[in-house]
């Protein structure tokens, strides 16, 4: 029971802390509509499932103990976030889609944005590893560990779905329409800064 409580608690804390995932979900939900936000959240959930899978397989432990591998992963993630941030900034506009269907963001594109943002995020890697290192032991049954992984991925997905539904309420979306250009540029700058921050963070010590 204590293990389960720890998994749920860590998942909630990690999910609600603003970061690249939150910025991408919020941007896509406000600009692309509710479906885009949900698909972005689904992509993040799938990416987290990838992290959980290799954590269970033991690959994550290798990454966590190798400065070189960790830094390679970190730089790949940083490069993607910078690219995504610049893309958001350059494509920002004052025009607001008339409705969700005309939002101009196909569901698969939204899913891809969510997936790549999370799967290249070294913090997500460390999140998955830290949970399993803290709450499981060699005696923990595999199916129990898989269950913890399902709780983690589902919990993060559910949180971002709630974020999507809240920020796509008509009053909020209408308020956003008046600030659309600057908010999109802000999202772009934030993601770029996230990426730069990851790239320049200390890499001389073990993660």
């Amino acid at each position: 029971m204590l293990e389960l409580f720890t998994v749920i608690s860590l998942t909630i804390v990690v999910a609600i802390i603003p970061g690249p995932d939150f910025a991408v979900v919020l941007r896509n939900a406000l600009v692309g509509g509710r479906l885009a936000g949900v698909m972005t959240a689904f992509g993040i959930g799938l990416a987290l499932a990838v992290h959980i899978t290799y954590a269970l397989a033991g690959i994550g432990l290798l990454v966590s103990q190798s400065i070189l591998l960790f830094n390679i992963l970190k730089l790949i993630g940083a490069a993607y976030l910078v690219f995504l941030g610049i893309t958001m900034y350059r494509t920002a506009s004052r025009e607001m889609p008339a409705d969700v269907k005309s939002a101009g963001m196909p569901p698969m594109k939204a899913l891809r944005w969510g997936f790549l943002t999370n799967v290249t995020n070294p913090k997500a890697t460390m999140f998955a590893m830290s949970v399993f290192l803290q709450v499981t032991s060699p005696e923990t049954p595999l199916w129990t560990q898989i269950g913890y992984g399902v709780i983690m991925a589902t919990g993060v997905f559910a949180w971002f779905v709630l974020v999507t539904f809240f920020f796509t309420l008509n009053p909020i979306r209408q308020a956003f329409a008046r600030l659309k250009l600057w908010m999109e540029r802000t999202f772009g700058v934030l993601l770029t800064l996230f990426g730069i921050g990851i790239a320049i963070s200390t890499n001389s010590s073990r993660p």
Side-chain angles (χ1 to χ4, degrees), residues 1 9 54 57 96 99 101 113-114 131 146 163-164 173 196:
M1 182 61 71
S9 299
Y54 63 64
M96 190 70 178
D99 53 44
K101 292 183 178 180
W113 276 34
V131 169
I146 293 174
V163 169
T164 294
R173 200 155 185 261
I196 293 174

Side-chain angles (χ1 to χ4, degrees), residues 4-204:
L4 178 60
F5 177 77
T6 302
V7 170
I8 294 174
S9 299
L10 289 175
T11 300
I12 292 173
V13 171
V14 170
I16 65 177
I17 295 176
D21 292 343
F22 184 87
V24 170
V25 170
L26 188 57
R27 184 268 178 190
N28 288 355
L30 289 171
V31 176
R34 186 165 291 177
L35 178 59
V38 170
M39 291 302 290
T40 305
F42 186 55
I44 291 171
L46 289 178
L48 190 53
V50 172
H51 293 303
I52 291 166
T53 298
Y54 63 64
L56 287 172
I59 299 175
L61 182 60
L62 174 63
V63 173
S64 69
Q65 297 299 313
S66 170
I67 295 175
L68 177 61
L69 288 178
F70 183 80
N71 286 336
I72 290 174
L73 176 64
K74 181 171 64 176
L75 290 175
I76 292 174
Y80 176 73
L81 290 178
V82 171
F83 167 77
L84 192 58
I86 293 174
T87 299
M88 282 189 184
Y89 189 92
R90 293 183 61 185
T91 58
S93 68
R94 296 182 184 276
E95 298 180 2
M96 190 70 178
D99 53 44
V100 174
K101 292 183 178 180
S102 64
M105 187 167 204
M108 291 306 298
K109 180 179 180 180
L111 185 148
R112 185 169 64 251
W113 276 34
F115 180 83
L116 291 176
T117 298
N118 185 274
V119 83
T120 59
N121 187 348
K123 290 184 178 180
T125 302
M126 292 300 101
F127 165 57
M129 279 304 306
S130 64
V131 169
F132 284 101
L133 287 175
Q134 292 181 44
V135 306
T136 65
S137 67
E139 290 74 31
T140 304
L142 177 60
W143 286 110
T144 299
Q145 296 184 49
I146 293 174
Y148 291 156
V150 171
I151 290 173
M152 292 161 59
T154 303
V156 171
F157 168 70
W159 164 251
F160 285 124
V161 168
L162 289 176
V163 169
T164 294
F165 273 71
F166 177 76
F167 283 99
T168 51
L169 293 173
N170 284 333
I172 295 177
R173 200 155 185 261
Q174 289 173 5
F176 167 75
R178 296 191 291 270
L179 304 171
K180 180 176 181 296
L181 175 64
W182 293 107
M183 287 192 69
E184 282 198 73
R185 286 181 173 176
T186 298
F187 292 144
V189 170
L190 286 176
L191 284 179
T192 301
L193 291 177
F194 279 131
I196 293 174
I198 290 174
I200 66 177
S201 60
T202 302
N203 58 18
S204 60

